[in-house]
Amino acid sequence: MLDKVKDLYQEIDHYIVSSPEQLEQFRMRFISRKGVITELFEHLKTVPQADRRAVGQELNGLKNLAQERFDSFSQLIDEQRSAANNAPPVDLTLPTIPNLTGTQHPLTLVRQRIIQIFERIGFNVADGPEIETDWYNFGALNFPDNHPARDMQDTFFIEKSENGSPSSDVLLRTHTSNVQIRLMERQKPGTAFQPIRSIMPGRVYRNETISARAHCMFHQVEGIYIDRNVGFKDLKDTLYHFVKEMFEPGTQIRFRPSYFPFTEPSAEIDISCQICGGKGCNICKHSGWVEIAGSGMVDPQVIANCGIDPEEYTGFAFGMGIERITQLKYVVNDLRLYTENDVRFLRQFEGL
Ligand code: PHE
C-alpha cells in the first residue's frame, strides 16, 4: 500500500494540466469521491493496526498535495480563460486589411500596350544607348553640321575634355532615332538581307525648362521597317492599325505633310481629339485635332549612310511620345506628374 502511495506522489508531482479537459481528468482521478485517493482511504482498514497510523499520515499528505495542485491548476485555467475573454472580439464583417500592392506607372502601362500592338503585327523590340555620339543622334540622320534642323531639338552635350580641349561629340540622345541607325548598321555587307521591323521604346532628353508642357526627360517609341518594296501605303496601314487599337472606336486620323531631315516624304500624324471628340477644347487648342507622331519614308541617304543599298531597299519610320499618348488616353495635363511619384496620382492607375 505504501508503494502505491509513493507512486501516486510521483504521478501528481509530474502532472501537467493545460486545458479545462485535463483539469477535469485530474479532478476525477485524484480529488473526486470515486478517485484513487478516496479508494485508498477505504483500504486503510485492511492495513495492519501497527502500520495504519504511518500509512494514514502518508495518505493525508497525498490528499493535501492533490488538493494543492488542483487549486493551482484551476487558477491557471481561470487565468487563461479570462485572458481569452478580454481579447477584443473578432468581427467577421469588418473589411480585411488591404494588401497594398504597387501599381504600374501610367507610362509603363501605355508603353506595354504600344509594344503589344506592334508585336502582334510582327515588330520586335530593340534598344539602344541613351548617351550617344553626334553621329548616331544627328549626323547619320542627315542633320549636317550647323544645319538649322539641329535647333529643332535642344540638346544636352556631354563635354569631354580629353587633352584639355572640350569636345561636344557626346550627348544625351534627343530622340530614339539613333536606334534606327544602329539597327541598320548591324546588317553585314555581303550577307543575305534581314528585313528590319522593330520598335524602340526609350528615354530621350532635351534641354527644356520643366513645366506642365515640357520636360527635359521624356519617352518615345520609334518604329522602323526596312525591306524590299516597303512603301508609303505600308506606313499608313501600320499607323491606322495602331490608332485603331490604341484609341477609342471612331477616332479619326490624318496625315499632314511635314519635314524631318531623315525622312522624305515626311508626315505628322494627327488624331481627332480624345478629350472633346473633335469639337474643340484646350488640349487640341480648339482645332479638334492632336498630333501624336512624326513619320515618313526613310531618306535614301540615311539608308546609304548605314551601308544598305537604297536602290534595293526602302522603308518607313515613325516616332511618338509616350507621355503624349498617355495624356490623351488618361487626360493627364501636367507632364510633371509623371516624375513626381505622388501616390495620389499613381493610385488612379490601380488595376489597369
Ligand atoms: N525623331 C522624330 C522626333 O523626335 C520623330 C520621327 C521619327 C519622325 C521617325 C519621323 C520618323 O521628333
Side-chain angles (χ1 to χ4, degrees), residues 4-15 17 23 26-27 29-31 36-37 41 56-74:
K4 188 106 201 249
V5 174
K6 293 246 164 67
D7 286 350
L8 287 173
Y9 259 107
Q10 288 278 325
E11 191 183 335
I12 293 174
D13 210 29
H14 292 116
Y15 213 101
V17 162
L23 181 68
F26 184 89
R27 194 189 65 79
R29 179 151 170 75
F30 302 109
I31 311 286
V36 279
I37 297 177
F41 271 112
Q57 273 176 357
E58 287 293 318
L59 252 181
N60 269 326
L62 184 68
K63 190 181 162 195
N64 291 341
L65 177 69
Q67 189 61 47
E68 227 171 72
R69 289 291 157 94
F70 179 75
D71 291 345
S72 61
F73 288 148
S74 305

Side-chain angles (χ1 to χ4, degrees), residues 15 23 40 83 157 166 179 239 279 281 291 344:
Y15 213 101
L23 181 68
L40 284 178
F157 290 96
V179 195
L239 287 161
K279 286 192 211 78
C281 68
E291 183 200 318
R344 289 169 302 178

